Amino acid sequence: MSTSRQVVVRPATPADAEAMAALRAAVAAEGRWIGAESPVDEAAAAVAIRTAIAEGKGVFVADGDGVLAGTAHTYISTAGVTTFGMMVAAGHRGRGIGAALLDRVVAWAREQGAHKVTLQVWPHNEPAIALYRRTGFEVEGRLRRHYRRRDGELWDAVLMALHLDEETHTSFTTARSSC
Ligand SMILES: CC(C)(COP(=O)(O)OP(=O)(O)OC[C@H]1O[C@@H](n2cnc3c(N)ncnc32)[C@H](O)[C@@H]1OP(=O)(O)O)[C@@H](O)C(=O)NCCC(=O)NCCS
């Protein structure tokens, strides 16, 4: 477990699935932060969460003031690379919960032996981009007009990454340039 400013981050259990799905639905209903759009099928989301937990993916929750206030889902997307998504309930933002969850996401990646952590974020999501930059993530690219929203709009996504093992990254670059 990790704590930050009285926030407790812990691995999710199957018993958390409904509350996690409800949080996902609530954040989706805000309409501008996450990929999921309203209405979220909460029953299907809860099943997917239980499956992710059973598969050993990094599924974490933050308890704030005795309620489930935030979640993070992280998984190995390609060898040595983890990808994640996270959210904090609107009424609990700005209290360090996002930072505590992100610390756990990065710790999980290290535990998996990953050399890199990646994510995608909407370009207008300034709070999230600030959080990621503060933790050392850098912009690696942009997917232009990539995601079609239900209203037909095409949104860009910013690709960000944190390199956990710059030494390996550097030696790979050196080895490749010497070929
Ligand atoms: C992005 C999000 C997870 C941040 O969580 P949070 O608990 O509010 O963040 P914290 O209180 O831990 O703040 C950590 C840092 O994030 C940044 N940050 C948070 N809110 C911010 C805001 N409104 N404006 C600018 N920066 C902000 C700051 O760098 C902050 O560090 P500081 O307190 O030293 O200034 C939260 O806003 C959220 O869940 N948003 C909706 C869902 C979402 O966008 N998920 C990410 C999708 S990619």
Side-chain angles (χ1 to χ4, degrees):
M1 281 190 192
S2 56
T3 58
S4 173
R5 299 182 217 170
Q6 283 91 46
V7 178
V8 175
V9 175
R10 60 175 174 80
T13 72
D16 295 312
E18 275 71 25
M20 294 174 73
L23 173 56
R24 181 179 175 81
V27 178
E30 294 181 63
R32 55 184 283 106
W33 305 127
I34 61 174
E37 292 188 85
S38 260
V40 167
D41 181 339
E42 291 187 42
V47 169
I49 289 162
R50 287 201 180 89
T51 301
I53 293 169
E55 289 175 347
K57 293 177 179 167
V59 187
F60 301 101
V61 295
D63 291 320
D65 302 332
V67 298
L68 191 146
T71 66
H73 296 240
T74 184
Y75 57 96
I76 298 169
S77 51
T78 192
V81 180
T82 64
T83 299
F84 73 95
M86 60 183 287
M87 65 196 76
V88 174
H92 292 264
R93 291 177 195 154
R95 302 183 197 168
I97 294 175
L101 280 165
L102 187 54
D103 284 350
R104 193 66 193 85
V105 164
V106 173
W108 187 84
R110 291 187 191 281
E111 288 160 19
Q112 307 308 307
H115 62 268
K116 183 174 182 180
V117 184
T118 63
L119 65 94
Q120 295 185 25
V121 58
W122 302 130
H124 58 254
N125 195 344
E126 292 173 7
I129 290 171
L131 168 63
Y132 302 140
R133 282 193 188 284
R134 169 188 188 269
T135 310
F137 285 77
E138 295 175 350
V139 172
E140 292 205 326
R142 185 168 179 130
L143 300 172
R144 291 192 57 247
R145 305 178 71 248
H146 195 78
Y147 290 102
R148 189 174 292 284
R149 309 297 285 171
R150 284 187 184 153
D151 65 3
E153 280 188 14
L154 287 169
W155 285 13
D156 292 5
V158 176
L159 308 175
M160 298 186 76
L162 176 69
H163 290 263
L164 300 176
D165 186 356
E166 285 291 350
E167 201 174 358
T168 299
H169 181 62
T170 304
S171 50
F172 171 72
T173 305
T174 305
R176 193 172 50 170
S177 63
S178 66
C179 289

